[in-house]
Amino acid sequence: MARPALRPADVATYAVLAAGALVMLLPFVWMVSTSFKTGEATFVTPPQFIPANPTTDNYARVFSTVPMGQFFVNSLFVSVTSTALMVLNCAMAGYAFARIRFPGREILFYAYLATLMIPQQVTLVPLFALMTWLGWGNTYQALILPASFGAFGTFLLRQFFLRLPREVEEAAFIDGAGYVRIFFSIGLQLARPALATLAVFAFMASWNSFLWPLIITSNQSMMTLPVGLSFLNGRYATDWNVLMAGAVIGTLPILAVYVFAQKYIIQGLA
């Protein structure tokens, strides 16, 4: 079967999308290109996207300048743990708001949803005071627990659970299953696209988080990768080629997570 000819409107749409994709990709291409340049080649005019004399010394300098391995392990542990807790907590809350009827459910849900309008900066001082009172400064729990709950994730999964057919749950009730068993045996299985979407968003937010780890950690052994990369900024001058190498290292895990969960993300958003 012959493919239909492209209409002028389709060609214009593809052209606009391609131009937008190119604009979005340029900073990443420049970051990777600069990470393989020498210090002198970084500010060559006109700019070179393909280095004339590529080198991998910048990556070695990253690990020799700062404890990059420790920063990477900290970020990986904090991001994976907080993402797992975020997905579990939001899934349980979303299922309860979608399927379990209890007094004040709608009021509580909209009050919970209203917290999305509160900027993170407003909660930093009371959150820091609470963590200090608990004695959790420079600890993993201070980095993980505040990122383990979210109104956006609860809203996303509530909307997904509302679309699931009730006949499946009713058949499970007839077989003697309760809400807990239905949630873990049926709800989580059917909600895998939405769970994967939330997991990617939560992992990206935790991995890229800078302000809260900067405030709650003062010990270098507890710092995460975004905070650790700030040590590559010099007081009077910055080796941008070394900093870009560190940025490439910090970008790879997010890229890997997205590639792995891409199919589920598309299903979840659709």
Side-chain angles (χ1 to χ4, degrees):
M1 182 178 180
R3 299 177 64 179
L6 290 176
R7 298 173 301 174
D10 297 331
V11 175
T13 301
Y14 291 140
V16 171
L17 292 176
L22 181 62
V23 171
M24 294 292 293
L25 285 175
L26 276 178
F28 296 98
V29 174
W30 179 253
M31 176 182 68
V32 175
S33 173
T34 305
S35 70
F36 290 101
K37 294 179 181 179
T38 61
E40 295 77 12
T42 303
F43 298 102
V44 170
T45 303
Q48 298 177 346
F49 283 97
I50 300 178
N53 299 303
T55 177
T56 58
D57 291 343
N58 298 324
Y59 291 90
R61 289 179 60 188
V62 169
F63 286 92
S64 63
T65 304
V66 296
M68 198 68 174
Q70 183 65 48
F71 295 154
F72 192 92
V73 170
N74 289 341
S75 284
L76 187 63
F77 177 72
V78 170
S79 299
V80 171
T81 307
S82 62
T83 298
L85 292 175
M86 169 75 81
V87 171
L88 178 61
N89 291 327
C90 290
M92 291 190 294
Y95 182 80
F97 281 124
R99 293 306 201 202
I100 302 176
R101 296 188 177 276
F102 54 89
R105 182 183 68 171
E106 298 299 326
I107 296 176
L108 180 60
F109 172 71
Y110 287 116
Y112 192 54
L113 201 61
T115 60
L116 287 172
M117 296 185 291
I118 302 177
Q120 180 194 14
Q121 292 79 1
V122 175
T123 64
L124 287 178
V125 173
L127 187 59
F128 178 79
L130 176 61
M131 295 300 163
T132 303
W133 179 73
L134 292 172
W136 286 358
N138 287 307
T139 61
Y140 283 120
Q141 54 264 36
L143 292 169
I144 293 172
L145 292 180
S148 301
F149 310 89
F152 170 76
T154 301
F155 170 76
L156 176 68
L157 292 175
R158 172 186 178 269
Q159 299 306 111
F160 193 91
F161 283 126
L162 284 175
R163 295 169 48 195
L164 297 181
R166 289 188 175 272
E167 291 78 9
V168 177
E169 291 181 336
E170 292 172 354
F173 281 129
I174 294 175
D175 292 336
Y179 281 115
V180 176
R181 184 174 180 183
I182 292 175
F183 170 73
F184 284 102
S185 300
I186 300 176
L188 291 183
Q189 298 299 320
L190 296 177
R192 281 183 296 178
L195 295 176
T197 303
L198 176 60
V200 172
F201 288 154
F203 185 87
M204 290 177 59
S206 179
W207 184 268
N208 293 324
S209 179
F210 176 78
L211 187 57
W212 174 244
L214 177 66
I215 292 174
I216 200 60
T217 59
S218 57
N219 191 337
Q220 197 176 69
S221 63
M222 291 301 303
M223 292 180 178
T224 56
L225 190 59
V227 179
L229 289 177
S230 65
F231 286 98
L232 297 176
N233 283 319
R235 178 173 297 181
Y236 302 107
T238 299
D239 292 330
W240 292 105
N241 48 335
V242 179
L243 182 59
M244 291 299 103
V248 170
I249 296 173
T251 305
L252 291 178
I254 295 180
L255 182 62
V257 169
Y258 178 78
V259 171
F260 175 77
Q262 181 180 11
K263 178 179 68 175
Y264 297 104
I265 294 173
I266 296 174
Q267 293 178 2
L269 294 178

